[in-house]
Amino acid sequence: MTLAAGKPEKVNIQYNFDKNLASEFTQMYNEAWTGVEENFYDKTSMG
């Protein structure tokens, strides 16, 4: 932003990236399962 003019300046940004959806879904599954393991308690289940 040019302070004297009070107008924003255009900023050009280019970025390319690759996603590995299989590894992202694996991580989401593992994080969800960890949450269940650490926080679930059923007093009637003694196993």
Side-chain angles (χ1 to χ4, degrees), residues 4-45:
K7 295 182 181 179
E9 297 175 2
K10 183 178 179 180
V11 176
N12 293 319
I13 298 174
Q14 284 189 336
Y15 183 77
N16 295 322
F17 63 95
D18 296 321
K19 290 183 104 176
N20 184 340
L21 290 179
S23 69
E24 287 192 32
F25 287 134
T26 300
Q27 181 171 345
M28 287 189 294
Y29 174 83
N30 290 336
E31 289 176 7
W33 185 247
T34 298
V36 170
E37 275 187 322
E38 291 179 352
N39 299 306
F40 180 76
Y41 177 73
D42 182 5
K43 65 181 179 180
T44 62
S45 176

